[in-house]
Amino acid sequence: MGTSGSGVASAGSTSGRRRPARARRAGGTGRPGCRPPAARRPRPTGIGLPETQEALLRAVAAVRPETALVVMSSYPYAVDWADAHLSAVLWTSHGGQETGRALAAVLLGAADPAGRLPQTWYRGEDSLPHPLDYDIIKAGWTYQYHRSAPLYPFGHGLSYADFTYRDLRLSSPVLVQEGAVDVSVTLANTGTRSGSEVVQLYVRAVGTRYEAPGSGSRTSARCGSNQGTAGR
């Protein structure tokens, strides 16, 4: 998604006492290894897709409305337009040489897209702090302290199967300090095909003397299920 500068070298003899010609980088100062001035290098702004990629996406979707956006990245992007106008948005991290096969299997329905987001995906209009502001409470970073509804929350993910939850039970209505509570729930696959679901449990502290997280993930479990079956 970035561009690199090109180098222009002049030929010269290296025999005798003559020095080899130095490479001169286009747009630079002529010193070896010198990069173009910062003002001339494009800098990414915001968390949206690069303008050229956003324009390409919209142009393709205008011709083929069934377009699905595949985002391969290590961090979130604001994909508000894609979420509102496209049939699907699929995210993957850098999965290695089999990524192409895995994506094709998911897009063609041969595999279930049962991954879950390890990050909060913010909206384009969200007022976000500086990326180097590490005071996540004051700045409102992460799903624990972000005060606006995100585009996709931490742990978000879909499946080709349909799952329903019921019969949530706690071993105790009160969790004492240093104590433990057993939690159980019935998960049923009510869809027309097999799939995989990640059951996630979030908790929050109440009545604290400090600003506690709005929620926190405490445990999760992946459950595979055939159509029409249920398990606890």
Side-chain angles (χ1 to χ4, degrees):
M1 290 184 287
T3 58
S4 58
S6 59
V8 179
S10 58
S13 172
T14 59
S15 60
R17 296 184 178 180
R18 296 182 62 184
R19 293 183 178 180
R22 292 179 174 179
R24 184 181 298 271
R25 186 177 293 272
T29 61
R31 294 194 298 271
C34 181
R35 303 182 65 189
R40 301 182 185 178
R41 295 197 301 270
R43 293 180 179 274
T45 57
I47 58 173
L49 295 175
E51 292 182 2
T52 53
Q53 295 189 15
E54 182 76 23
L56 175 62
L57 172 65
R58 298 191 184 199
V60 172
V63 177
R64 181 69 66 177
E66 301 85 0
T67 297
L69 172 63
V70 176
V71 180
M72 181 184 295
S73 68
S74 299
Y75 50 86
Y77 281 94
V79 289
D80 305 59
W81 186 91
D83 177 74
H85 295 87
L86 299 185
S87 302
V89 177
L90 179 64
W91 174 81
T92 178
S93 184
H94 305 280
Q97 63 184 14
E98 287 297 308
T99 300
R101 295 179 184 271
L103 286 174
V106 169
L107 291 171
L108 297 176
D112 195 43
R116 297 297 179 264
L117 289 179
Q119 310 141 328
T120 297
W121 282 53
Y122 306 100
R123 297 181 182 275
E125 68 272 13
D126 281 357
S127 179
L128 299 178
H130 192 279
L132 297 182
D133 187 347
Y134 294 110
D135 187 342
I136 65 172
I137 298 179
K138 181 180 179 180
W141 277 124
T142 78
Y143 75 100
Q144 294 181 315
Y145 293 101
H146 190 58
R147 297 169 181 85
S148 301
L151 183 63
Y152 305 125
F154 175 91
H156 174 78
L158 303 178
S159 170
Y160 288 135
D162 294 317
F163 292 94
T164 59
Y165 292 77
R166 64 174 184 265
D167 303 329
L168 176 64
R169 298 178 184 177
L170 305 177
S171 61
S172 172
V174 178
L175 177 60
V176 299
Q177 187 174 0
E178 306 298 334
V181 172
D182 295 326
V183 182
S184 64
V185 66
T186 298
L187 176 69
N189 184 346
T190 58
T192 58
R193 57 172 288 170
S194 300
S196 178
E197 171 72 334
V198 178
V199 179
Q200 305 173 62
L201 175 65
Y202 294 84
V203 300
R204 67 184 181 92
V206 295
T208 60
R209 296 189 302 271
Y210 56 92
E211 185 176 353
S215 65
S217 176
R218 285 297 175 264
T219 186
S220 63
R222 180 176 295 279
C223 304
S225 178
N226 296 325
Q227 63 186 82
T229 61
R232 191 170 185 83

